[in-house]
C-alpha cells in the first residue's frame, strides 16, 4: 500500500497532532485555517482495486454454546462488514476446523476476543466469547468481529513511509464503534483525562454501527475488490475524477449531521463511499497538493472559514475538515 506522496508524512511529526486533540474537546469538531488535515485523509487513497477472485474468504464458526439471542445480531454484523468492505467475504460455516473465526458462548460476564485473523502468531485465527446477557448485542457483534479481523488498538497500518496507529485513529474518531463504554458487565478501564472527557460526552449515544472512519480503516487493511453479489464494481468518473460504485451506502456519510447526498456513492459526482475513497487516485493527490482533502463525509474540504450555511444548523462557518458543507470553491470540485 503506497501513500500518495512521501512528504505528506513528513508534514505530521506524530499522528496525534493538535487536530486530534480538538476531537477530544468537541463532539462535533471543525477545523480552523491553522490546522491541516489529519494523516488518515492524506494517505487514504492508496489501494489497487482487486477482482472478485481476490476477495479474502473468512469462514466463521458459531458454536452451539452461543445463546440464540445473538444469532440475528451476528448475521447482521457479518452482512454489514461485508457491505462496508467488499474485499472481505465473511461467511458462517458448520465445520469448526475449517474456520478462522470461532465464536463461543460463555457463562462469564462480558464479551472478549482472543487472537486475530491477521496474526501469524495466532495462526490467523481468532476466538470470540459472548456472554448470555449483553446490554447491546448489536454493537458487540460488530465490535468483536472487527477485533477478530485485526482492527485492534495495539495494531498499526503500515505504509511505505510511515504507520497509522489504530489506537490514535480510534481516539481521533469520536463516533467509532471501537470506543469502549463503561457498563456493569465490563471491567473498569484506566483512562487519560482526555479520553475520559471524550467518553463522558459519548455517553448517552449508543454507537451501534461502524463510523465512516471505521469503514475507511477496514478498507485500508483489506483492499476493495469487485463483487457481483454486493453490486460493487466501481468506475472513475469523467466528471470529477473520483471512484464511484453507485451503491446506496451513503446514509450516514455526514454523521452526526444529516445526509448531504442522494444516498448513493456517485455515480458521477458528489461524495464517494469509504471503500471507493481508498482506491488509488491521481486526482486525490492533486487535491492534496492544492491543500484540499476528502473528509469522512467524502466531500472535499480546505479548512478555511467561509461563513455559516443556514440550512445546516450545526455548521460553524468552516469548510470541513471532517464533515458538513464545503465552501463554494471546494463544492465545485465534486459538484461542478
Amino acid at each position: 500500500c503506497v501513500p500518495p506522496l512521501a512528504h505528506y508524512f513528513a508534514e505530521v511529526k506524530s499522528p496525534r497532532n493538535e487536530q486530534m486533540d480538538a476531537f477530544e474537546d468537541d463532539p462535533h469538531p471543525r477545523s480552523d485555517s491553522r490546522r491541516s488535515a489529519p494523516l488518515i485523509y492524506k494517505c487514504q487513497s492508496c489501494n489497487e482495486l482487486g477482482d472478485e477472485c481476490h476477495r479474502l474468504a473468512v469462514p466463521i464458526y458459531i458454536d452451539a454454546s452461543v445463546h440464540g439471542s445473538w444469532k440475528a445480531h451476528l448475521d447482521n454484523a457479518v452482512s454489514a462488514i461485508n457491505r462496508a468492505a467488499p474485499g472481505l467475504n465473511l461467511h458462517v460455516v458448520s465445520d469448526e476446523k475449517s474456520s478462522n473465526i470461532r465464536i463461543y458462548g460463555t457463562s462469564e460476564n462480558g464479551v472478549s476476543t482472543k487472537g486475530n485473523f491477521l496474526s501469524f502468531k495466532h495462526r490467523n485465527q481468532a476466538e470470540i466469547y459472548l456472554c448470555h446477557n449483553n446490554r447491546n448485542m448489536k454493537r458487540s457483534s460488530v465490535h468483536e468481529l472487527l477485533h477478530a479481523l485485526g482492527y485492534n488498538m495495539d495494531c498499526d497500518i503500515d505504509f511505505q513511509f510511515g504507520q497509522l496507529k489504530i489506537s490514535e485513529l480510534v481516539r481521533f474518531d469520536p463516533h467509532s464503534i471501537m470506543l469502549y463504554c463503561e457498563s456493569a458487565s465490563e471491567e473498569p478501564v484506566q483512562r487519560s483525562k482526555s479520553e475520559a472527557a471524550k467518553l463522558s460526552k459519548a455517553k448517552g449515544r449508543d454507537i451501534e454501527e461502524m463510523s465512516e472512519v471505521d469503514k475507511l480503516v477496514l478498507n485500508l487493511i483489506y483492499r476493495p475488490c469487485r463483487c457481483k453479489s454486493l453490486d460493487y464494481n466501481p468506475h472513475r468518473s469523467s466528471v470529477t475524477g473520483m471512484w464511484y460504485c453507485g451503491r446506496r451506502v451513503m446514509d450516514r456519510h455526514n454523521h452526526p449531521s444529516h445526509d448531504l447526498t442522494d444516498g448513493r456513492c456517485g455515480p458521477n459526482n458528489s461524495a464517494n463511499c469509504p471503500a471507493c475513497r481508498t482506491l488509488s487516485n491521481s486526482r486525490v493527490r492533486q487535491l492534496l497538493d492544492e491543500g484540499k482533502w476528502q473528509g469522512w463525509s467524502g466531500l472535499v474540504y480546505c479548512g478555511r472559514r467561509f461563513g455559516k450555511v443556514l440550512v445546516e444548523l450545526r455548521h460553524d462557518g468552516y469548510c470541513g475538515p471532517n464533515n458538513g458543507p464545503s465552501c463554494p470553491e471546494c463544492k465545485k470540485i465534486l459538484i461542478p
Side-chain angles (χ1 to χ4, degrees), residues 249-264:
V249 291
M250 303 294 288
D251 56 310
R252 299 185 68 249
H253 82 105
N254 190 46
H255 69 86
S257 191
H258 63 271
D259 184 4
L260 295 175
T261 72
D262 62 0
R264 300 178 66 187

Side-chain angles (χ1 to χ4, degrees), residues 77-233:
V78 167
S79 297
I81 292 173
N82 283 337
R83 185 171 174 79
L88 283 171
N89 179 17
L90 275 63
H91 57 282
V92 177
V93 297
S94 57
D95 181 17
E96 181 178 5
K97 293 183 179 180
S98 66
S99 63
N100 291 108
I101 297 177
R102 300 168 183 178
I103 305 177
Y104 303 101
T106 177
S107 58
E108 299 179 2
N109 290 331
V111 296
S112 62
T113 298
K114 296 181 180 179
N116 74 74
F117 179 68
L118 295 178
S119 173
F120 290 106
K121 177 182 177 181
H122 297 99
R123 298 180 181 179
N124 302 107
Q125 293 182 342
E127 295 179 353
I128 298 175
Y129 295 89
L130 304 175
C131 64
H132 298 326
N133 297 313
N134 183 275
R135 68 185 182 89
N136 196 333
M137 292 183 177
K138 180 179 179 179
R139 172 190 178 277
S140 294
S141 296
V142 178
H143 180 100
E144 298 305 322
L145 278 173
L146 290 180
H147 272 317
L149 288 168
Y151 194 164
N152 293 308
M153 298 287 280
D154 58 349
C155 291
D156 300 334
I157 303 176
D158 293 313
F159 294 91
Q160 184 175 349
F161 299 99
Q163 290 181 330
L164 285 174
K165 297 185 71 64
I166 296 291
S167 58
E168 300 296 347
L169 290 177
V170 172
R171 292 192 184 100
F172 155 80
D173 178 15
H175 307 286
S176 173
I177 199 170
M178 303 309 288
L179 287 173
Y180 286 93
C181 299
E182 308 285 357
S183 73
S185 63
E186 295 174 346
E187 296 181 1
V189 178
Q190 294 294 326
R191 305 181 188 280
S192 66
K193 290 184 179 180
S194 58
E195 287 178 314
K198 182 178 67 174
L199 181 63
S200 67
K201 293 177 182 179
K203 284 182 178 179
R205 299 199 321 263
D206 286 330
I207 302 176
E208 297 183 335
E209 300 180 51
M210 289 178 284
S211 70
E212 297 301 285
V213 176
D214 288 333
K215 298 172 187 176
L216 188 65
V217 171
L218 200 57
N219 281 284
L220 285 173
I221 299 174
Y222 301 99
R223 67 166 179 166
C225 298
R226 293 184 177 89
C227 179
K228 187 175 182 179
S229 62
L230 295 173
D231 196 24
Y232 189 75
N233 187 25

